[in-house]
Amino acid sequence: MKQALFKKIQQITEQNLMDIEAHKEKGNHVIGFYCLYGPTELAVAADAIPLPLCGTRQDPIDAAEEVLPRNLCPLIKSSYGFAATDTCPFFRFSDMIVADTTCDGKKKMFEIMSDLKPVHVLQLPQNQVPALSLGPWKAEIETLITVLENRIGRQITPEKISAAIRLMNRERQAKKRLMDITRANPSPLTGMELVEILFKTGFFADKEKGIALMDEISDVCLTLIEQNQSPYTNTTPRILLTGVPVGLGSDKVVKILEQCGANVVALENCSGYKQAFQVNDTIDPVTALADQYLAIPCSVMSPNPGRMEMLREMIPAFSIDGVVDLTWQACHTYNIESFQVATLVQDDFGLPFLHIETDYSESDTEQLRVRIQAFIEMI
């Protein structure tokens, strides 16, 4: 059953580029987003397709390093490299980019990227205290609405934003339902399967198609659970991966963990559970967007209690046996925050903890394998 579903995902993925092209040929637009803090609802409200653009592959990094420093986060270099080499169709399709000041490396890279494509940078507050940050952040979203209206030539009304919130809430609900499937022990999905599904469906131009497909996968997985069909047993070590985002191409730690006999059942990052939120659709839509998006628990926030709260909820909910904290090289906020995560995991839950700092290359694969194998043996 799963094999047929993954074939269907691939078919839709191949059709998706043609869907985006057809959308643009009708005079519609595509908006690229580089971070979870960008409110994609505004693009949907303008009848545009929102596309995630963070780079997850090693291939374009050499080209990026002709402009950017080598000792920079691989996600930033990969993102810029794809743009500079014109090898990412989703960047090419984007009429403009919505970026943000999450970290110093990104915001300076976006200055250079603006020579390649129109870029609007949201000035993200660095704390989540509503009295200090909600007003300025709401003003940033209101400015973005004006920028999008001028760029696209369509009015973004409160009614359209509310409708977009309801649609995107349904998509996030479908993602959460899919991610919650792996609470079952044993899980019917491998961690790599989960990464692939979340990554590929994130690019779908047709949101309804993506929602329907994720629900179909969840339904099949529930049947597999009832039939006790799984690639694992109930003694397979269950791993929670926290830290930086992962996608196809930046998934080597997930691969190695599962090659070493574990199952990555939970992703606490912005490519995983961090995006499983719901925006309040009963109040002023701009206020609702500002409030919910500001609450995203990224390490760029200081302090960042939301991440610890999410980990406290996820570790027992997914019956976790060990936690791996992944940091990309030169990602200082996640690197420093790892100390707090280790304290929580070890002191509050008494679980094995492993912090990995790496990049997208395969050069340290065997070193990582040795460390990860030792970690799994501890469990």
Side-chain angles (χ1 to χ4, degrees):
M1 286 190 288
K2 279 201 303 183
Q3 186 176 3
L5 282 174
F6 277 93
K7 184 177 180 181
K8 186 174 183 178
I9 292 173
Q10 187 57 36
Q11 290 171 341
I12 296 175
T13 299
E14 293 168 359
Q15 175 66 37
N16 188 50
L17 290 176
M18 290 184 282
D19 290 344
I20 297 172
E21 192 169 10
H23 173 85
K24 294 203 66 174
E25 287 175 354
K26 294 177 182 177
N28 296 313
H29 294 76
V30 173
I31 309 297
F33 288 81
Y34 271 104
C35 183
L36 196 56
Y37 282 108
T40 52
E41 284 87 349
L42 299 184
V44 174
D47 297 319
I49 296 172
L51 291 175
L53 293 179
C54 274
T56 62
R57 294 189 180 277
Q58 175 71 19
D59 304 0
I61 286 181
D62 284 345
E65 288 177 346
E66 295 177 9
V67 176
L68 301 175
R70 292 177 61 86
N71 61 340
L72 190 64
C73 163
L75 184 150
I76 298 173
K77 291 189 291 185
S78 181
S79 298
Y80 180 78
F82 271 126
T85 58
D86 194 27
T87 50
C88 173
F90 302 112
F91 184 88
R92 189 184 313 126
F93 280 131
S94 296
D95 296 287
M96 67 169 287
I97 304 300
V98 176
D100 45 65
T101 56
T102 45
C103 73
D104 290 344
K106 271 189 177 181
K107 70 184 182 184
K108 299 305 290 184
M109 180 272 284
F110 289 135
E111 293 178 12
I112 302 174
M113 182 178 282
S114 63
D115 293 333
L116 306 174
K117 186 86 70 172
V119 178
H120 178 78
V121 180
L122 295 165
Q123 299 297 319
L124 179 69
Q126 298 297 289
N127 70 72
Q128 296 167 319
V129 180
L132 297 175
S133 298
L134 186 57
W137 181 233
K138 182 180 177 182
E140 287 292 317
I141 293 177
E142 290 170 338
T143 299
L144 176 59
I145 291 173
T146 301
V147 169
L148 288 171
E149 287 178 330
N150 291 337
R151 182 77 193 176
I152 293 175
R154 293 180 182 172
Q155 187 178 11
I156 301 175
T157 65
E159 292 76 20
K160 288 182 178 179
I161 299 174
S162 294
I165 287 173
R166 290 191 292 271
L167 175 62
M168 298 307 291
N169 275 348
R170 287 176 52 225
E171 182 186 62
R172 288 185 287 260
Q173 188 176 31
K175 286 182 180 180
K176 184 178 186 300
R177 183 183 178 222
L178 175 66
M179 289 187 282
D180 282 343
I181 287 292
T182 56
R183 295 188 185 211
N185 190 5
S187 168
L189 289 173
T190 70
M192 279 305 304
E193 288 172 338
L194 184 60
V195 168
E196 180 179 352
I197 296 166
L198 292 172
F199 185 82
K200 289 184 175 179
T201 55
F203 291 100
F204 285 2
D206 187 334
K207 294 297 180 185
E208 294 290 355
K209 190 180 294 185
I211 292 168
L213 180 58
M214 285 187 283
D215 281 338
E216 183 180 358
I217 295 170
S218 296
D219 289 340
V220 168
C221 286
L222 288 174
T223 300
L224 294 176
I225 292 169
E226 291 173 358
Q227 297 173 350
N228 199 30
Q229 293 187 37
S230 169
Y232 306 105
T233 70
N234 56 13
T235 60
T236 300
R238 297 169 60 84
I239 305 300
L240 182 149
L241 182 68
T242 182
V244 294
V246 295
L248 294 183
S250 61
D251 48 25
K252 67 179 178 183
V253 171
V254 179
K255 286 180 180 176
I256 297 171
L257 279 162
E258 299 200 320
Q259 288 167 358
C260 289
N263 178 203
V264 178
V265 297
L267 305 169
E268 183 283 315
N269 51 34
C270 57
S271 52
Y273 227 68
K274 273 191 176 76
Q275 59 181 313
F277 57 81
Q278 293 285 287
V279 177
N280 188 342
D281 63 356
T282 64
I283 63 174
D284 167 62
V286 177
T287 301
L289 289 176
D291 182 62
Q292 186 58 58
Y293 276 85
L294 183 63
I296 293 169
C298 177
S299 66
V300 298
M301 292 296 171
S302 182
N304 183 30
R307 184 184 180 195
M308 305 306 152
E309 292 169 9
M310 186 173 289
L311 287 169
R312 287 184 187 278
E313 294 173 3
M314 292 181 69
I315 288 171
F318 286 84
S319 306
I320 297 302
D321 298 311
V323 174
V324 175
D325 188 12
L326 175 61
T327 302
W328 298 135
Q329 288 176 358
C331 184
H332 303 311
T333 56
Y334 271 108
N335 213 347
I336 294 170
E337 204 167 86
S338 185
F339 174 80
Q340 295 168 275
V341 175
T343 300
L344 182 148
V345 171
Q346 294 170 331
D347 293 357
D348 293 9
F349 291 95
L351 292 176
F353 173 83
L354 177 64
H355 180 218
I356 292 175
E357 183 181 4
T358 185
D359 60 13
Y360 289 179
S361 73
E362 298 294 324
S363 61
D364 61 349
T365 297
E366 293 312 310
Q367 292 175 321
L368 289 177
R369 192 182 306 278
V370 171
R371 292 184 62 203
I372 288 171
Q373 187 65 62
F375 172 71
I376 300 299
E377 288 174 3
M378 285 174 55
I379 296 174

